[in-house]
Amino acid sequence: MLLIPAIDLKDGQCVRLRQGDLEDATIFSEDPTAMATHWLERGARRLHLVDLNGAVAGKPKNEALIKAIVRAVGDDIPVQIGGGIRDLDTIERYLDFGISYVIIGTAAVKNPGFLHDACGAFPGNIIVGLDARDGKVATDGWSKLTKHDVSDLAKKFEDYGCEAIIYTDIGRDGMLSGVNIEATVRLAQHVRIPVIASGGVTDMRDIDALCAVEEEGVEGAILGRSIYEGTLDFEAAQKRADELAP
């Protein structure tokens, strides 16, 4: 089970939101680059970056900071980035300066042709982010709920050639309310590619629950508020996950 610390970037700071609400942001660090090296030193094997300003603007807004983070961690661990990625040029630019995986969310749902082209142009580098409430996919920073079933879209995007699916339960994100294991497993059973859980991880009980379904295809989890507020110790969590590996 790959546990991935999240660094959400807003106005040059490392923040966490509650249920995706930009107006409900908690600042955890004025120096996201130092935060990246902090997680690297504590054994992180991948970092998850989100350009929150970019997600709103529809284009990268924290690119210089993202570059600095990639330089800081060097070749030690892969970095994945999401937020405001709407064209192939942006993907190419990110990959050129060392990003390993580019996450496409809203644009994948609204413009499947773009996702198809991205998977074809950059095989192995594209992850799809699917955010859902009650099984239906949301877009535009979770402000719009579509009629798309999350499992159906995941299957379609798998056929395009995406590397993995990040599944976020909107109702639980940033709320420290526990992972929606049932919904995450249901999605993982519909696809062959890895599913990465996101939203709601709170404490070691969630790590145990996720590890128990790893063989169903839930191969990772993104950790946010829990590791910043101290309800979960990252190093201890990754150690536990390694011990429970199937």
Side-chain angles (χ1 to χ4, degrees), residues 1 204-215 236-246:
M1 178 69 58
M204 204 66 87
R205 289 171 296 182
D206 290 307
I207 303 303
D208 291 343
L210 285 163
C211 289
V213 297
E214 186 169 359
E215 290 185 303
Q238 186 62 73
K239 183 181 178 184
R240 173 78 67 89
D242 291 344
E243 291 169 350
L244 294 175

Side-chain angles (χ1 to χ4, degrees), residues 10-28:
K10 179 176 183 281
D11 304 330
Q13 299 169 321
C14 171
V15 308
R16 290 303 292 168
L17 308 182
R18 294 184 190 274
Q19 296 184 321
D21 184 356
L22 279 170
E23 301 304 313
D24 191 359
T26 305
I27 298 170
F28 284 107

Side-chain angles (χ1 to χ4, degrees), residues 66-96:
I66 293 162
K67 276 186 181 179
I69 290 171
V70 171
R71 280 198 304 270
V73 300
D75 297 326
D76 291 329
I77 56 172
V79 178
Q80 59 192 42
I81 176 73
I85 297 161
R86 303 285 189 270
D87 57 65
L88 297 179
D89 286 344
T90 298
I91 297 173
E92 186 170 27
R93 201 162 63 249
Y94 274 140
L95 296 177
D96 281 348

Side-chain angles (χ1 to χ4, degrees), residues 6-244:
I7 299 177
D8 290 1
L9 305 171
K10 179 176 183 281
D11 304 330
Q13 299 169 321
C14 171
V15 308
R16 290 303 292 168
L17 308 182
R18 294 184 190 274
Q19 296 184 321
D21 184 356
L22 279 170
E23 301 304 313
D24 191 359
T26 305
I27 298 170
F28 284 107
S29 175
E30 303 279 350
D31 188 349
T33 304
M35 187 58 70
T37 56
H38 168 85
W39 296 126
L40 175 64
E41 289 164 358
R42 274 148 190 81
R45 298 168 192 166
R46 188 186 296 190
L47 290 179
H48 175 81
L49 308 185
V50 181
D51 182 349
L52 293 172
N53 301 109
V56 173
K59 58 183 178 181
K61 286 293 184 179
N62 286 284
E63 199 165 328
L65 182 53
I66 293 162
K67 276 186 181 179
I69 290 171
V70 171
R71 280 198 304 270
V73 300
D75 297 326
D76 291 329
I77 56 172
V79 178
Q80 59 192 42
I81 176 73
I85 297 161
R86 303 285 189 270
D87 57 65
L88 297 179
D89 286 344
T90 298
I91 297 173
E92 186 170 27
R93 201 162 63 249
Y94 274 140
L95 296 177
D96 281 348
F97 67 66
I99 290 288
S100 298
Y101 303 102
V102 172
I103 303 160
I104 302 176
T106 290
V109 181
K110 288 187 159 185
N111 185 4
F114 163 58
L115 176 65
H116 189 275
D117 290 346
C119 290
F122 309 105
N125 299 114
I126 306 299
I127 293 175
V128 172
L130 290 178
D131 310 324
R133 189 190 300 275
D134 299 325
K136 299 300 180 184
V137 173
T139 61
D140 299 278
W142 306 347
S143 62
K144 297 178 182 176
L145 200 62
T146 72
K147 295 180 180 178
H148 295 295
D149 182 85
V150 66
S151 294
D152 291 343
L153 270 188
K155 189 68 180 169
K156 177 180 178 181
F157 295 159
E158 175 185 44
D159 292 341
Y160 286 0
C162 72
E163 186 71 9
I165 301 284
I166 295 174
Y167 173 67
T168 303
D169 184 313
I170 294 170
R172 304 197 185 204
D173 187 72
M175 302 303 289
L176 295 178
S177 57
V179 180
N180 190 334
I181 293 291
E182 183 182 350
T184 306
V185 169
R186 192 160 55 241
L187 176 60
Q189 289 172 339
H190 269 78
V191 294
R192 298 180 304 278
I193 56 176
V195 169
I196 299 170
S198 175
V201 175
T202 305
D203 54 33
M204 204 66 87
R205 289 171 296 182
D206 290 307
I207 303 303
D208 291 343
L210 285 163
C211 289
V213 297
E214 186 169 359
E215 290 185 303
E216 300 287 350
V218 183
E219 297 186 12
I222 293 168
L223 308 183
R225 189 172 288 274
S226 61
I227 56 174
Y228 288 101
E229 293 195 348
T231 63
L232 181 68
D233 179 276
F234 177 78
E235 287 181 274
Q238 186 62 73
K239 183 181 178 184
R240 173 78 67 89
D242 291 344
E243 291 169 350
L244 294 175

